[in-house]
Amino acid sequence: MGHHSDITKRFFLLAKHQEIQALRHLSSNCKIVKAVTEMIHQLQRERGMSNVFLCSRGERFASQRAQQETASEMSEKTLRSLLNALYLSNSDNGLTMRLVTTITFALQGMDNLKDLRSKVALQQLTPTESTNAFCRLIAALIDVIFEAADVANDPAITRLLVALFNFIQGKEYAGQERACGAIGFSSSHFKQSLCDRITVLTDSQEHSFETFTKFADATELSMWQQQLESDHTEHLNRLRKMICELGENDTCTAELSEIWYDIATLRIDAMQDI
């Protein structure tokens, strides 16, 4: 090995130090992504239950919604604790300005959750207003995932993060579809605008999952294929077809709201495993 000057050796050590720091920052961000993903999942469940609760004027899903609030609050507590430990308690945290901004915006939405839940409990919101409020917060949390994932220099890790982001986006469209379906079935009626919205969300899911399959590895692709061929996916497609065939003046039984929610939830919970 040839002789190297002192400054060359120092820069070599600096490069190694920077590489280690980059991996530490990536590790921290991945922990945040995991916590954010879990909170999104819990909020998606709460959003759907809140719709059934509101549409039924409190007759359905009252106890389930209360239990889900507790689960959502626990995931929020975990996320806030991680944000403090990894970013605010560490001066060398690798935060970018865009990541700080998205985290701040998401925290502002989280701060409003107590008021949102209070209004839902008192039936002071329409199902659409409740859905939109939850959607805004979830969208802010998805932005955190996007910014936190945008730090990898390794191509293999980057591909997985791209796959993850698109899968989470597709899962959110599935969650919105569950929430919209809950509105229609709980009301025993699907307005044409609601049917159109569900169709758009179904198409959006397909687009996101198609992108996911281009970047995911063999394990995730195998798990996803199992979900596509599962019984609950088949049952959900039947209910989708029923919605599409309902006319503007047709009615359906409100009891289907719980069946719809349970089937859609089985599918979404399976997505969370992936």
Side-chain angles (χ1 to χ4, degrees):
M1 184 176 179
H3 174 74
H4 295 292
S5 64
D6 179 65
I7 191 172
T8 300
K9 295 176 182 177
R10 291 170 62 186
F11 266 93
F12 176 80
L13 291 175
L14 178 61
K16 288 298 180 183
H17 174 76
Q18 293 297 104
E19 181 180 355
I20 292 170
Q21 287 300 96
L23 289 172
R24 286 175 176 167
H25 296 158
L26 178 61
S27 175
S28 296
N29 286 8
C30 285
K31 291 176 182 177
I32 293 300
V33 166
K34 183 177 180 181
V36 171
T37 301
E38 176 60 26
M39 183 171 182
I40 288 173
H41 185 63
Q42 298 303 333
L43 290 176
Q44 287 170 336
R45 293 174 65 95
E46 185 177 347
R47 175 179 56 194
M49 290 181 181
S50 296
N51 279 354
V52 176
F53 176 81
L54 288 169
C55 287
S56 66
R57 299 186 181 278
E59 294 182 3
R60 296 182 184 277
F61 275 25
S63 61
Q64 294 97 319
R65 190 184 68 85
Q67 293 173 2
Q68 184 54 45
E69 279 188 13
T70 300
S72 297
E73 288 169 351
M74 289 178 62
S75 65
E76 179 183 355
K77 182 178 179 180
T78 298
L79 175 57
R80 287 180 180 272
S81 177
L82 267 178
L83 288 171
N84 181 67
L86 296 177
Y87 296 144
L88 294 184
S89 302
N90 182 7
S91 58
D92 187 15
N93 49 40
L95 278 170
T96 65
M97 182 183 70
R98 289 170 57 179
L99 180 54
V100 171
T101 300
T102 55
I103 290 174
T104 303
F105 187 68
L107 285 169
Q108 289 174 334
M110 290 157 61
D111 289 342
N112 293 325
L113 273 173
K114 184 177 181 180
D115 182 57
L116 172 60
R117 288 170 178 146
S118 176
K119 289 180 178 179
V120 170
L122 296 173
Q123 298 278 320
Q124 293 178 345
L125 293 175
T126 67
T128 299
E129 289 171 338
S130 173
T131 296
N132 290 340
F134 277 107
C135 285
R136 285 193 294 271
L137 174 54
I138 291 172
L141 290 167
I142 290 176
D143 285 341
V144 172
I145 291 175
F146 179 79
E147 294 300 335
D150 191 28
V151 296
N153 294 319
D154 183 276
I157 295 177
T158 300
R159 284 183 62 86
L160 286 177
L161 291 174
V162 171
L164 172 66
F165 177 78
N166 281 279
F167 193 82
I168 290 173
Q169 185 63 72
K171 179 172 174 286
E172 167 56 7
Y173 291 138
Q176 290 183 31
E177 180 190 22
R178 175 176 59 185
C180 290
I183 292 175
F185 282 120
S186 296
S187 305
S188 300
H189 173 68
F190 280 85
K191 295 181 179 180
Q192 187 58 49
S193 58
L194 189 58
C195 291
D196 293 342
R197 177 60 179 159
I198 290 175
T199 299
V200 169
L201 289 170
T202 302
D203 292 341
S204 297
Q205 288 176 61
E206 293 302 316
H207 176 73
S208 292
F209 293 137
E210 181 180 349
T211 305
F212 155 76
T213 59
K214 293 178 180 178
F215 292 93
D217 64 16
T219 300
E220 283 70 40
L221 288 175
S222 176
M223 294 175 70
W224 178 236
Q225 188 61 38
Q226 291 177 24
Q227 295 310 314
L228 292 177
E229 299 170 356
S230 65
D231 290 340
H232 50 257
T233 297
E234 181 181 351
H235 296 326
L236 183 71
N237 286 332
R238 289 177 181 173
L239 288 172
R240 283 172 170 172
K241 184 178 180 181
M242 178 191 298
I243 293 171
C244 292
E245 292 176 347
L246 287 172
E248 182 74 29
N249 299 318
D250 293 334
T251 60
C252 56
T253 176
E255 282 74 14
L256 282 172
S257 62
E258 295 188 30
I259 296 175
W260 164 267
Y261 183 86
D262 289 343
I263 291 174
T265 297
L266 284 172
R267 177 171 177 256
I268 294 172
D269 285 353
M271 291 181 191
Q272 181 69 2
D273 290 338
I274 295 177

